[in-house]
Amino acid sequence: MSVHLKQDRPDTRNVLDKTRQGVIGAPLPRPEGLLKTTGTATYAAEYAAEGCLEGVLVTVPVVRGAVTAIDEEQVRAMPGVVAVLSDKRMTGRPAQGMAGEAPFQPAQEVCYWGQPVALVVAQSFEQARDAAKRLVVECRGEDAPLDPAAVDAEESESTRQGDLAHAMAEAAHSVDITVTTEGHASAAMEPHAALAQWDGERLTVHASLQMLKFNRAELADSLGLEQDQVRLLSPYVGGGFGSKLGVSQEVVAAALAAMQLGRPVRVVMSRQQVFQVVERRSETHQRVRLAADAQGRLTGFGHEARVSNLPGESFAEPVLQSSHLLYAGDNRLLRLEVARIHRMTAGSVRAPGEAVGVQTVEQAMDMLAAKAGIDPVELRLRNLPDKHPENGKAFSSRKLAECLERGAAAFGWEERPRAPRHTREGEWWIGTGMASAARVHSVVEAKARVTLRPGGTALVETDMTDIGTGTYAILGQVAGEMLGLAPADIEVRLGDTELPPGSGSGGSVGAASCGSAVFLACEGLRRKLAERLGINSDDLTLKDGFVRWSGGEKALPELLGNAPLDCVGHFEPGDSTQDLAVSSFGAFFAEVAVNRWTGETRVRRMTGAFGFGRVLNARTARSQCLGGMTWCIGNALTESLLFDPVDGHLANCDLAEYHVPVNRDVPDCEVLLLEERDAAASPIQAKGVGELGLCGGAGAIANAIHDACGARVFAYPMTPDRVLAAMPEG
Ligand code: MOS
């Protein structure tokens, strides 16, 4: 049996508020948590296979050109070496994770520094690595544009409404700033890895991937196989952050080698290769213009950005995504352009778009508040549009005002205006700043099967992944709530393309999409149980393994009997959001200390308040927000990909030189979850939360730096040298 819903209208039944189990939303621990914390969860590189060979990718040191010769003979003679492969199909550009839109592209030529061009396969990893280091690859190198500021750019999107220039000229208060952000690496803890086995007809690959149904299509496509010949397994993923949305070279290379050699082959990228090869977040160059009347009401809003990517890539960091709807302003100019340069593929990295776009708008808003003499929180409240300022659609739900107010109260926000340098502790200036958060919401098609087993336990199955987000926990909670079962009585199986295809984990779509598929499957099961009793399913209460209705009560196992009962839930987005603006919102408050002599900034505390529809698990949702706020600190203070301006190579390709925030950088953070129901967003009334916590918070830190020491810094990350250079005299 299956239940299919293409959601064409809001679901206002509030089913999950009427069920009785009481597990939905509860802060339950992750069922797989113990496996992960004890090191017994198996990751892609850790599987064993009889007779497994080891492959190491070989990369080239030119930004553009072609391979002219590979001296295979020399390394073939080395101990343990089995093969050297230079198949063009495995050396291309990573896919972007949505089938058809941007498949894995085989390389006809070298187009970025560090591009893999060969795979050395040997009996042991050490032999393969040694041979890969000695493999002589001759290339013809060509000059190529490396600097996004030095090339012409092409327009990717633009919105023009009214006359921004006129609004700026007429404004009582205006702000016009230019801000740069540098590239980011996803920096997932688990390196990219794949172990491929070929049995002559079917390929089985253990890999570390976010979007299995799309990834299977991409891999089949690049190998010339039918999709049903390919099985992918990713039950545990040590972080993705965008870098595993699409298949990349290690997966294709392991598969090709296994097919060619008839033996299992494992390929694990080194940490350096992960940095050099997988997708980067583009650097951005942004201009924000705000025009306001004497009361600080926006009359004009401008946001223009330049990003970069390789020639031929369709992705452009969607910097303006939430700028379209966050604030009012009748006269609008939003424009995104892409410069074609030769750095590795730019793609989705941790909240693509808003992660770097909102923080910049929020800096400008802080400056406008200061100019207009209005408290920054009040300025934002005054400028929340009644409806989408460009298309006039109503918001499906928006807790932004409540997030601003409750966040301010929880943080202890002190009203402005006030002059910087009001508080000093020894050599540290202390200041606070705030920012709004916004992230667009979307859902995608997803399927899940739920089986009630004799004995009264349940099994949830989908190829959905858990990339550290809490999928195992929340899908079990949706099922537990709907079926009246304790989480301990529910088993969740994920990350295997043999299971019904879910949404995948990307773009914060997973919880609402797959959660809705599980919800629909459970609605089907509830109807079947009601049919057996000859009652209406509205008259059914499922709790603690018991079935109750107005005429009686039965233990669930008794009603089930000896045969399992299953249902596939199939969720598809429909027109329910067509006439609405659907987005998640929040607010950030940060306190920093800035060293008056060195310009070093320490974040001392942060509060985030977020509204994203129904909370499915208060613990995992909070963790998602904490993770986002941690990345805000990275965005604000430490993270940048540094490319050599002469030869274009990535200079900081490891976790020692690419600085993600670590334990010492991250203070205790407070997270407020504002419960909300969004009936249009998904049948379970949830919106996305995964990336929301990263969308704007770096702006709160930037604004706090100004409040502390008076420095307005217009380049992220705000490293000590930059803060010091912007610090006023005295
Ligand atoms: Mo996310 S950057 O869509 O994994």
Side-chain angles (χ1 to χ4, degrees):
M1 165 164 139
S2 67
V3 172
H4 175 220
L5 174 75
K6 185 163 179 179
Q7 192 181 7
D8 282 325
R9 62 185 66 85
D11 186 340
T12 51
R13 296 174 302 153
N14 291 325
V15 173
L16 286 166
D17 291 315
K18 293 171 186 159
T19 46
R20 302 290 296 283
Q21 188 61 28
V23 293
I24 199 71
L28 302 178
R30 296 159 191 242
E32 84 290 9
L34 193 66
L35 290 179
K36 286 181 175 170
T37 51
T38 55
T40 47
T42 309
Y43 290 84
E46 299 175 323
Y47 285 89
E50 182 78 27
C52 185
L53 299 170
E54 307 289 338
V56 169
L57 290 164
V58 179
T59 63
V60 285
V62 294
V63 290
R64 184 164 76 176
V67 174
T68 51
I70 296 181
D71 187 2
E72 296 180 18
E73 292 315 310
Q74 183 204 346
V75 302
R76 265 185 202 277
M78 290 178 65
V81 173
V82 175
V84 178
L85 278 71
S86 55
D87 192 307
K88 296 259 181 292
R89 288 176 292 175
M90 71 183 199
T91 62
R93 304 180 187 179
Q96 300 267 2
M98 296 285 177
E101 285 180 19
F104 186 92
Q105 300 179 32
Q108 298 310 321
E109 55 175 24
V110 174
C111 55
Y112 62 94
W113 196 96
Q115 182 172 329
V117 294
L119 181 78
V120 175
V121 182
Q123 302 289 351
S124 75
F125 168 71
E126 289 76 10
Q127 290 167 331
R129 183 179 56 182
D130 190 19
K133 282 212 166 128
R134 287 166 204 261
L135 183 70
V136 177
V137 177
E138 285 173 24
C139 322
R140 169 173 50 76
E142 297 165 15
D143 283 344
L146 300 172
D147 177 3
V151 295
D152 289 336
E154 58 199 59
E155 187 168 283
S156 165
E157 69 157 285
S158 71
T159 303
R160 286 180 174 80
Q161 184 178 303
D163 185 344
L164 178 63
H166 183 73
M168 290 291 288
E170 299 287 298
H173 306 288
S174 66
V175 174
D176 182 350
I177 58 170
T178 295
V179 175
T180 57
T181 69
E182 286 166 22
H184 294 152
S186 303
M189 202 187 296
E190 182 199 12
H192 289 54
L195 189 153
Q197 294 172 265
W198 173 246
D199 71 6
E201 282 176 32
R202 289 201 81 208
L203 182 70
T204 303
V205 186
H206 290 275
S208 188
L209 293 163
Q210 295 177 229
M211 315 284 285
L212 290 195
K213 94 178 147 191
F214 299 107
N215 303 142
R216 178 165 77 157
E218 292 157 356
L219 184 57
D221 188 43
S222 55
L223 301 173
L225 297 175
E226 297 298 322
Q227 287 198 40
D228 60 13
Q229 288 181 278
V230 177
R231 179 183 185 186
L232 292 178
L233 295 119
S234 286
Y236 303 112
V237 179
F241 306 110
S243 69
K244 297 164 184 172
L245 286 168
V247 294
S248 43
Q249 290 84 343
E250 83 290 358
V251 178
V252 184
L256 276 166
M259 290 168 74
Q260 195 164 317
L261 302 172
R263 289 181 54 186
V265 176
R266 179 188 351 249
V267 178
V268 183
M269 283 193 197
S270 66
R271 180 64 67 189
Q272 286 77 9
Q273 286 176 341
V274 173
F275 273 88
Q276 290 165 6
V277 172
V278 307
E279 293 172 5
R280 65 185 168 96
R281 185 202 305 281
S282 172
E283 70 298 313
T284 72
H285 185 274
Q286 303 179 46
R287 181 183 187 191
V288 176
R289 282 181 282 175
L290 302 176
D293 66 16
Q295 288 76 44
R297 290 198 171 77
L298 286 168
T299 53
F301 182 93
H303 194 178
E304 294 158 274
R306 170 185 280 218
V307 301
S308 72
N309 208 338
L310 278 165
E313 288 291 335
S314 59
F315 180 88
E317 177 82 19
V319 177
L320 316 175
Q321 207 154 241
S322 281
S323 297
H324 291 291
L325 55 74
L326 183 53
Y327 295 125
D330 285 342
N331 299 288
R332 306 179 75 81
L333 171 60
L334 288 87
R335 195 168 169 275
L336 181 67
E337 57 178 25
V338 191
R340 299 293 168 192
I341 59 162
H342 285 256
R343 294 177 178 171
M344 68 283 206
T345 312
S348 295
V349 174
R350 299 187 232 129
E354 285 95 329
V356 288
V358 178
Q359 68 196 28
T360 309
V361 171
E362 292 303 302
Q363 272 183 282
M365 287 294 278
D366 196 65
M367 295 172 70
L368 181 64
K371 281 194 174 177
I374 299 170
D375 181 76
V377 175
E378 172 58 25
L379 181 77
R380 283 153 177 92
L381 290 170
R382 264 180 216 185
N383 283 295
L384 302 189
D386 299 334
K387 47 194 178 17
H388 191 296
E390 292 166 16
N391 60 33
K393 293 179 180 179
F395 290 97
S396 59
S397 62
R398 184 183 57 178
K399 278 249 154 81
L400 179 47
E402 294 87 336
C403 289
L404 289 163
E405 285 161 353
R406 288 198 36 203
F411 180 80
W413 178 253
E414 294 165 85
E415 282 186 22
R416 317 283 141 101
R418 65 181 179 186
R421 299 191 173 176
H422 44 77
T423 307
R424 186 157 68 79
E425 291 178 12
E427 56 189 42
W428 298 87
W429 297 111
I430 313 299
T432 59
M434 55 79 53
S436 296
R439 173 74 179 161
V440 293
H441 162 83
S442 64
V443 280
V444 299
E445 184 177 14
K447 289 184 184 175
R449 178 169 51 235
V450 181
T451 307
L452 276 171
R453 300 192 277 206
T457 60
L459 173 65
V460 177
E461 297 170 295
T462 158
D463 81 352
M464 176 64 179
T465 47
D466 185 325
I467 59 171
T469 44
T471 313
Y472 283 101
I474 59 163
L475 295 188
Q477 280 170 275
V478 172
E481 189 61 47
M482 290 293 287
L483 301 174
L485 295 174
D489 289 328
I490 296 177
E491 182 188 349
V492 179
R493 284 191 200 147
L494 303 177
D496 180 350
T497 53
E498 300 288 282
L499 304 176
S503 60
S505 302
S508 305
V509 305
S513 305
C514 276
S516 292
V518 171
F519 173 81
L520 293 173
C522 293
E523 285 207 301
L525 291 172
R526 289 173 63 97
R527 278 201 289 276
K528 270 197 194 176
L529 293 175
E531 271 169 33
R532 285 190 182 181
L533 293 164
I535 61 166
N536 190 307
S537 58
D538 291 343
D539 185 20
L540 192 71
T541 301
L542 299 175
K543 186 169 178 357
D544 299 329
F546 282 89
V547 185
R548 296 190 182 94
W549 65 100
S550 48
E553 173 181 307
K554 242 183 193 171
L556 181 61
E558 196 188 328
L559 183 59
L560 284 170
N562 288 327
L565 193 60
D566 68 55
C567 182
V568 172
H570 178 189
F571 167 70
E572 264 189 285
D575 290 340
S576 67
T577 58
Q578 193 179 308
D579 300 322
L580 297 167
V582 191
S583 221
S584 296
F585 295 97
F588 300 96
F589 297 82
E591 178 181 309
V592 304
V594 181
N595 189 289
R596 62 189 297 209
W597 306 120
T598 67
E600 179 187 359
T601 300
R602 308 294 303 175
V603 178
R604 304 223 301 189
R605 62 192 181 98
M606 261 179 115
T607 296
F610 305 101
F612 46 90
R614 184 188 295 279
V615 177
L616 303 174
N617 176 320
R619 184 194 301 241
T620 57
R622 175 175 177 274
S623 283
Q624 290 294 96
C625 296
L626 283 178
M629 289 159 73
T630 300
W631 289 121
C632 287
I633 297 172
N635 248 12
L637 302 178
T638 59
E639 283 186 76
S640 69
L641 290 175
L642 300 171
F643 293 91
D644 185 297
V646 177
D647 71 6
H649 83 273
L650 177 62
N652 56 341
C653 49
D654 58 47
L655 291 168
E657 298 294 328
Y658 181 88
H659 295 151
V660 299
V662 296
N663 196 44
R664 289 272 287 164
D665 300 318
V666 184
D668 275 343
C669 293
E670 180 182 24
V671 175
L672 309 180
L673 306 178
L674 276 68
E675 274 285 359
E676 185 181 57
R677 302 285 178 262
D678 193 316
S682 63
I684 56 173
Q685 302 166 318
K687 295 186 283 189
V689 63
E691 296 165 310
L692 178 63
L694 168 49
C695 300
I701 295 168
N703 297 337
I705 290 173
H706 174 260
D707 184 55
C709 69
R712 288 279 184 203
V713 189
F714 298 109
Y716 291 92
M718 298 184 180
T719 45
D721 53 324
R722 287 173 171 163
V723 174
L724 210 51
M727 226 187 256
E729 291 293 311

